[in-house]
Amino acid sequence: MGKEDLVSNNPLRALGLEKEDGNDGRRVGLVMARAGLGKTAILVQIAMDSMLRENKVLHVAIGEGLEKTKTWYDDILSLMNHQDKSIGSYQQIVDEVMQNRMIMTFKENSFSVATLEERMEDLSQQGIFKADCLVIDGFDFAGAGSAAALGELKSFMKQNDLKMIWFSAVSHRDDNRVSANGVPAPCHEVDDIFDTVLLISPEKDEIRLKTLKCSEACSVDAGKSLSLDPATMLIKKA
Amino acid sequence: MSVDLSNVRNIGISAHIDSGKTTLTERILFYTDRIHAIHDVRGKDGVGAKMDSMELERERGITIQSAATYCNWKGNNINIIDTPGHVDFTVEVERALRVLDGAVLILCSVGGVQSQSITVNRQMDRYNVPRISFINKCDRTGANPERVTRQLQDKLGLNAHMLQLPIGLENDLAGVVDLVTMKALYFDGDNGEIIREEEIPAELQDAADAKREELLDAVSMFSDDLMEAMLEETEITSDMVKAAVRAGTLALEFSPVFIGSAYKNKAVQPLLDAVEYYLPCPTDVENIGLDLDKNEEEFPVSNNDDDPLVMLAFKLEDGRYGQLTYVRTYQGRLTKGDTIYNVRTGKKVKVGRLVRMHSDDMEDIDSCGSGDIVALFGVDCASGDTFTDGKITCSMSSMHIPEPVISLAILPVDNKAQINMSKALNRFTKEDPTFKTFVDHETNETIISGMGELHLEVYVERMKREYNAEVEVGAPQVAYRETISARAEFNYTHKKQTGGSGQFGRVAGYMEPLEEGEYEFEDKIVGGAIPREFISSCDKGFAKSLAKGTLCGSPVTGVRCVINDGSFHAVDSSDVAFQLAAAGAFREGYAKAKPKIMEPIMKVAVEGPSEFQGSVMGSINQRRGMIIGTTEEGNYTVVEAEVPLSEMFGYSTALRSLTQGKAEFTMEFASFKPVPKSVSEELVKKYQDEKKEK
């Protein structure tokens, strides 16, 4: 068993995300949860899924260190390997897959879309890394200028030839505002930007990954939910 | 006479290169009356820092060997090891941390947490060393201790909090506010030796109150008394805060941060106080020994002078009067004239002279007790050996020794140099386990290998200066390795019948890749196909074959050899015959086992202004490097990558010219990975050509 099996056995298949980064458009996704519930773990699983399918993923971590972000990938991949003992030459797969990833970390006050664009252009022009997908963890949706930046998202994606961007956002227990689709604040007013919105929600003894909004490409209907393993934050196989 | 161990501190000083470790140590020695004048690290005054006793260290302004010293601060005996910051000398740091109870991590107030700080912090984690941080160089332009404290939290994951606030920064640095006593401290006199305590300046009062509140919140969980006082809003004494900080530090759950400028003689004395208050004494730390009489059962050493002696030799040096062995005593007492027992070699040796080291000076002492760090004369041993008084057979756990990644050929210029070179190499390999040497029998060249270009450069220089051994040096070579990637069968018969007694042996079985470890041998022979007495000969034959692979002549690792069949001859079979048969079997199997060449991959971190980020990444990309990621903070960026060592030669020059000298890089060994096909073909061709030439 090798990389291909890792792709087809991936529990993320249940979300049908492979169609999201297909050729039929540029998709924007969002993972929401209250602080500390595992948004990064889900983003990394989405990134990993894309990397395993030979997409180049640029992981932008705002307010998080490089080592910590890298450790997320190492841990998730090692957990996937643990779950599936039959994976062939593990180290070889790791080396191969990690070539499809680059991490950029910014301090909260150092990040701007303009800087990101400049860095991406630099990487692409020198032939170092041309991202297909972007994962942005820690974007401040409540911050000044965020609405303007999100408004230009589609043209930004087109300009950089990106198939997919996934964001994470923190929701707050004491803020009850939601959009018609059920997307909580602070993203309730911009939910039309997102094709897919996932919400991590603790329920009794388990953690659910709810699909609040889903593009037509996605195989899960809005309102459906998947179960997460609370120990590993991996999506449980049905 | 027994020393009260609660007054003993064994501490290390570690940091990124050029953070001011040696300058700080120099000030510590001055304030504790060990030296009576302060000298510059780079030796501008012709003297040089006390702890950089090696001529080379003074010239380059870096610490190469860790130096031990001893001082007394307010009745506390402090043993200090000043350790090198350059990763090539990492074993020195490792050794120091193994025997120390606590450490001071020094950071530059401008550079902050740099790559080597991360490495050193990881090493401290590995040995569970409680640490305090000192943010040095607060007089420099751009100093920002708050930012560095945040980096300690973010990058190193430490629960770090400032115990002081600066009074002014950069050129205006005047002193510090102590957040425990809530007093302002100023350092007067020509060398900052007079401490003036005053009320906190009015303009800093609010900031100090807020910071103290933050500090109390952070440490209250380590002390019930403090927590209670906070909840009941009763008086919070300095002693309560100190006790809480100490408890958190010893539990490795809190890391106090101090600030100052060693160069400007500001706030070094409060750091010494902090060593006393917050770092552990030998009895606060549990050190584990392995009882060899009980199948290496772990036991905590007692730190009791009355118990049998246990001590660890952690560093050897060729002193002016012969071999000097640095030891840390874990329990028992050693007196001059005692006979001690080397657990590894089983040899007994009499301790003729016992000294306390003060860099390259020494003081004779009559005895030492538990928790002490001293040096012995005339004791022949290797670094890492355990000594006892013979009443107990135990060993202290071994130290982590990294594999060398770079080698170069050296050629003595004449006969005299040849003799001196042998002496030097013999000494260096004993002193430093990361430095290795051997003679390549095909080329007759002496090869030295180590952790980096600077590492080997320093040894070649030391050969010339200390041993008068002039050598010609070849170009640095990467220490490649070979391994196999598939299982392969072998069935080889060694048969020789050319007069006299013949040689016969047949060895059959298979070899397969070994995930972890270098080599394994398994005997699955049934029915005596190979007699018992020749099984070890087969093992030897395989093991010898590992020395040189057939692709590029590098050592072979990661191979498991299994024998399951064979045959012998009653007269002609011998140890030699089976060794040769195994060697033949290895050659046969190896060729079929898809051998590949592995190269050392280095973890490289380049730090510099963000404007050069693109050029830096381009330069790494050109060198077959894989960029892991970038960290951007203001105008400063760190690019982390994994790059083959073979591509890193001359990188410092290239980086300097790319970034106008504004960026710097560090690298350390990460792993061995297969070389790309094109490189592999090149290496194989080069090796074949070299073989043809011989």
Side-chain angles (χ1 to χ4, degrees):
Chain A
M1 219 183 223
K3 204 165 73 177
E4 303 72 28
D5 305 290
L6 212 53
V7 174
S8 60
N9 283 348
N10 191 336
L12 264 184
R13 285 305 85 232
L15 286 174
L17 291 177
E18 72 279 16
K19 294 167 197 154
E20 294 265 290
D21 56 26
N23 295 324
D24 61 334
R26 305 179 196 285
R27 309 285 179 186
V28 184
L30 172 70
V31 179
M32 290 194 80
R34 292 206 303 269
L37 273 185
K39 293 176 296 296
T40 307
I42 299 298
L43 278 187
V44 168
Q45 286 179 67
I46 291 169
M48 195 81 82
D49 178 59
S50 197
M51 284 153 62
L52 282 162
R53 285 181 287 110
E54 302 304 338
N55 285 312
K56 297 260 184 199
V57 175
L58 177 64
H59 184 125
V60 179
I62 303 164
E64 199 56 274
L66 178 61
E67 200 56 38
K68 215 165 171 181
T69 310
K70 187 176 160 286
T71 308
W72 270 113
Y73 281 86
D74 295 343
D75 288 351
I76 298 271
L77 199 56
S78 134
L79 284 167
M80 285 164 84
N81 176 46
H82 220 69
Q83 287 197 334
D84 200 343
K85 295 268 183 215
S86 50
I87 294 171
S89 174
Y90 176 65
Q91 195 50 50
Q92 201 180 325
I93 292 176
V94 173
D95 291 345
E96 240 174 79
V97 172
M98 292 313 172
Q99 285 188 351
N100 291 336
R101 179 206 65 191
M102 184 171 291
I103 302 168
M104 265 187 199
T105 67
F106 293 89
K107 279 273 153 198
E108 286 89 342
N109 51 9
S110 308
F111 178 78
S112 73
V113 175
T115 314
L116 175 63
E117 224 170 339
E118 197 183 310
R119 300 285 174 258
M120 285 174 68
E121 200 179 315
D122 213 353
L123 287 171
S124 162
Q125 273 178 359
Q126 292 192 75
I128 298 170
F129 195 86
K130 170 85 187 68
D132 299 306
C133 302
L134 203 57
V135 164
I136 303 182
D137 194 11
F139 183 79
D140 182 10
F141 283 92
S146 65
L150 290 167
E152 290 163 16
L153 210 60
K154 293 282 177 182
S155 63
F156 170 80
M157 289 182 82
K158 195 172 175 190
Q159 224 159 13
N160 292 283
D161 200 15
L162 290 166
K163 296 175 182 176
M164 188 169 95
I165 301 186
W166 273 85
F167 287 93
S168 68
V170 188
S171 62
H172 297 279
R173 199 193 290 263
D174 49 1
D175 191 340
N176 295 322
R177 292 172 298 164
V178 285
S179 73
N181 288 314
V183 177
C187 303
H188 61 298
E189 284 178 344
V190 288
D191 78 342
D192 54 323
I193 291 169
F194 304 106
D195 300 289
T196 307
V197 181
L198 306 175
L199 177 73
I200 305 172
S201 152
E203 280 174 14
K204 287 181 190 162
D205 300 339
E206 59 173 0
I207 298 181
R208 308 289 299 175
L209 183 66
K210 289 183 174 171
T211 312
L212 297 182
K213 197 177 167 192
C214 207
S215 72
E216 64 282 4
C218 193
S219 56
V220 175
D221 295 332
K224 288 277 170 64
S225 70
L226 296 167
S227 183
L228 294 177
D229 181 338
T232 62
M233 290 310 286
L234 289 184
I235 296 168
K236 277 187 187 170
K237 283 188 186 182
Chain B
M1 184 193 74
S2 282
V3 177
D4 179 1
L5 286 181
S6 65
N7 294 332
V8 174
R9 299 288 179 277
N10 292 317
I11 63 158
I13 296 188
S14 310
H16 186 83
I17 192 165
D18 248 353
S19 301
K21 290 184 302 293
T22 307
T23 306
L24 176 73
T25 314
E26 192 78 355
R27 297 312 184 268
I28 289 174
L29 296 178
F30 179 76
Y31 296 131
T32 55
D33 286 334
R34 298 289 299 169
I35 55 171
H36 302 291
I38 291 171
H39 298 289
D40 245 11
V41 172
R42 283 180 206 273
K44 284 174 211 147
D45 57 1
V47 181
K50 183 78 200 163
M51 297 295 276
D52 283 350
S53 55
M54 203 187 276
E55 196 183 347
L56 253 176
E57 292 179 317
R58 291 183 185 181
E59 271 176 28
R60 288 173 184 244
I62 57 166
T63 304
I64 292 166
Q65 286 185 317
S66 52
T69 192
Y70 155 87
C71 65
N72 190 295
W73 178 248
K74 297 181 181 172
N76 290 282
N77 296 335
I78 305 176
N79 290 310
I80 305 170
I81 293 205
D82 175 23
T83 57
H86 198 287
V87 74
D88 279 13
F89 305 98
T90 192
V91 74
E92 293 282 342
V93 185
E94 298 262 352
R95 280 167 168 175
L97 292 176
R98 174 70 186 83
V99 295
L100 293 170
D101 302 320
V104 181
L105 177 63
I106 309 199
L107 302 123
C108 168
S109 68
V110 184
V113 172
Q114 292 165 283
S115 51
Q116 185 62 12
S117 328
I118 297 171
T119 308
V120 164
N121 187 62
R122 203 169 45 230
Q123 287 166 328
M124 289 182 187
D125 280 343
R126 187 181 295 147
Y127 294 110
N128 295 325
V129 179
R131 72 216 70 160
I132 60 180
S133 305
F134 181 68
I135 302 176
N136 194 18
K137 301 192 182 182
C138 283
D139 59 307
R140 269 186 66 187
T141 310
N144 189 344
E146 292 233 19
R147 182 179 64 91
V148 180
T149 307
R150 279 197 303 277
Q151 289 181 342
L152 285 167
Q153 296 163 350
D154 297 344
K155 291 190 174 178
L156 302 186
L158 296 177
N159 184 14
H161 287 270
M162 287 164 76
L163 267 69
Q164 295 170 335
L165 270 189
I167 304 175
L169 270 176
E170 303 177 347
N171 266 342
D172 301 327
L173 178 71
V176 294
V177 173
D178 184 332
L179 297 173
V180 175
T181 59
M182 289 303 267
K183 293 282 179 198
L185 302 174
Y186 298 92
F187 305 88
D188 300 336
D190 290 346
N191 296 305
E193 66 275 22
I194 304 163
I195 303 171
R196 178 162 47 91
E197 191 178 285
E198 294 204 2
E199 291 308 313
I200 298 172
E203 67 276 16
L204 283 177
Q205 188 66 52
D206 287 349
D209 287 341
K211 272 281 165 199
R212 178 176 159 95
E213 204 59 36
E214 219 177 88
L215 171 69
L216 294 181
D217 276 346
V219 296
S220 58
M221 69 177 79
F222 305 115
S223 158
D224 292 343
D225 288 350
L226 179 61
M227 180 77 87
E228 217 174 286
M230 283 172 75
L231 289 172
E232 289 172 6
E233 294 184 357
T234 53
E235 193 202 348
I236 294 170
T237 63
S238 300
D239 284 346
M240 273 184 200
V241 183
K242 282 180 194 166
V245 172
R246 179 175 172 80
T249 308
L250 297 196
L252 299 170
E253 288 172 13
F254 184 80
S255 188
V257 179
F258 299 85
I259 54 176
S261 164
Y263 186 63
K264 293 282 167 138
N265 307 316
K266 303 270 189 236
V268 173
Q269 298 94 325
L271 179 69
L272 278 166
D273 288 337
V275 167
E276 178 200 342
Y277 299 152
Y278 308 124
L279 287 181
C281 70
T283 49
D284 288 327
V285 186
E286 188 180 74
N287 281 297
I288 300 291
L290 303 170
D291 190 337
L292 302 181
D293 290 333
K294 292 182 184 163
N295 202 19
E296 298 201 355
E297 197 179 281
E298 288 189 355
F299 73 98
V301 289
S302 70
N303 286 309
N304 189 342
D305 278 5
D306 299 328
D307 282 337
L309 177 77
V310 176
M311 55 190 199
L312 176 75
F314 64 96
K315 184 173 168 57
L316 310 181
E317 235 178 61
D318 198 14
R320 276 170 290 178
Y321 313 102
Q323 179 172 304
L324 197 57
T325 308
Y326 287 76
V327 291
R328 152 92 198 239
T329 315
Y330 287 94
Q331 63 175 44
R333 194 154 191 87
L334 176 70
T335 306
K336 199 165 81 173
D338 280 356
T339 300
I340 53 172
Y341 170 80
N342 184 331
V343 177
R344 183 180 59 90
T345 60
K347 281 186 186 162
K348 280 182 181 172
V349 58
K350 194 171 172 180
V351 179
R353 202 174 158 200
L354 195 60
V355 293
R356 203 182 283 287
M357 290 308 296
H358 175 46
S359 188
D360 59 343
D361 297 337
M362 57 190 81
E363 287 161 37
D364 278 275
I365 51 172
D366 290 329
S367 69
C368 69
S370 302
D372 245 339
I373 288 180
V374 294
L376 315 176
F377 265 109
V379 174
D380 186 32
C381 68
S383 180
D385 281 356
T386 301
F387 286 99
T388 68
D389 52 9
K391 291 180 192 153
I392 180 171
T393 315
C394 75
S395 172
M396 299 307 293
S397 49
S398 65
M399 291 179 278
H400 171 86
I401 304 294
E403 281 295 311
V405 291
I406 184 171
S407 62
L408 50 85
I410 50 173
L411 190 69
V413 292
D414 52 31
N415 260 351
K416 194 178 154 217
Q418 165 90 52
I419 296 163
N420 291 342
M421 183 185 83
S422 303
K423 279 187 199 161
L425 292 179
N426 189 28
R427 160 60 39 197
F428 298 157
T429 45
K430 263 192 164 180
E431 274 180 19
D432 179 354
T434 59
F435 177 78
K436 294 189 173 151
T437 178
F438 64 94
V439 175
D440 184 329
H441 293 294
E442 281 179 15
T443 58
N444 231 4
E445 282 173 327
T446 301
I447 311 289
I448 56 173
S449 50
M451 301 312 297
E453 277 179 282
L454 181 65
H455 191 204
L456 297 184
E457 213 177 285
V458 162
Y459 277 115
V460 169
E461 201 59 37
R462 281 185 66 191
M463 258 183 248
K464 281 181 199 162
R465 293 180 188 212
E466 296 170 26
Y467 289 87
N468 199 18
E470 199 70 40
V471 293
E472 279 171 12
V473 179
Q477 302 289 324
V478 170
Y480 291 102
R481 285 182 177 188
E482 293 185 25
T483 192
I484 56 171
S485 49
R487 179 188 150 118
E489 310 262 330
F490 50 74
N491 183 355
Y492 184 83
T493 306
H494 173 70
K495 203 172 172 182
K496 204 171 168 196
Q497 200 71 60
T498 48
S501 63
Q503 287 184 2
F504 181 87
R506 182 174 74 87
V507 175
Y510 60 90
M511 63 170 67
E512 60 186 6
L514 184 64
E515 285 289 320
E516 273 174 38
E518 302 207 337
Y519 164 68
E520 245 177 50
F521 170 76
E522 194 180 349
D523 162 30
K524 282 192 180 172
I525 298 277
V526 281
I530 297 176
R532 288 290 98 201
E533 67 261 38
F534 298 135
I535 299 295
S536 63
S537 314
C538 298
D539 186 9
K540 260 190 229 164
F542 287 127
K544 275 186 188 167
S545 308
L546 297 169
K548 214 160 200 179
T550 53
L551 294 179
C552 64
S554 298
V556 181
T557 58
V559 180
R560 182 164 179 267
C561 294
V562 181
I563 52 167
N564 53 22
D565 197 11
S567 42
F568 69 103
H569 185 274
V571 178
D572 292 346
S573 285
S574 64
D575 172 45
V576 173
F578 269 100
Q579 279 196 43
L580 291 169
F586 187 89
R587 273 196 308 277
E588 187 186 302
Y590 192 69
K592 295 189 282 185
K594 297 189 182 159
K596 58 184 178 186
I597 301 172
M598 311 279 279
E599 62 181 339
I601 303 290
M602 309 303 280
K603 186 178 170 192
V604 177
V606 188
E607 305 175 20
S610 298
E611 59 185 291
F612 299 114
Q613 195 188 118
S615 334
V616 167
M617 291 204 284
S619 69
I620 288 171
N621 198 43
Q622 282 166 8
R623 289 173 158 72
R624 290 199 284 127
M626 189 178 96
I627 296 164
I628 306 289
T630 60
T631 304
E632 200 158 331
E633 205 181 321
N635 293 324
Y636 201 73
T637 299
V638 182
V639 178
E640 281 184 31
E642 288 190 345
V643 192
L645 175 63
S646 58
E647 304 285 342
M648 287 303 290
F649 295 135
Y651 187 60
S652 49
T653 316
L655 186 66
R656 253 199 310 275
S657 73
L658 269 177
T659 62
Q660 300 159 11
K662 289 179 185 163
E664 58 169 26
F665 82 100
T666 53
M667 63 175 181
E668 63 176 304
F669 172 72
S671 60
F672 274 95
K673 283 189 180 163
V675 297
K677 202 167 169 242
S678 58
V679 178
S680 176
E681 282 167 359
E682 216 172 278
L683 289 168
V684 171
K685 186 175 177 301
K686 191 174 156 221
Y687 179 60
Q688 298 302 339
D689 290 348
E690 278 170 8
K691 273 204 337 194
K692 269 181 216 159
E693 275 173 27
K694 283 168 204 162

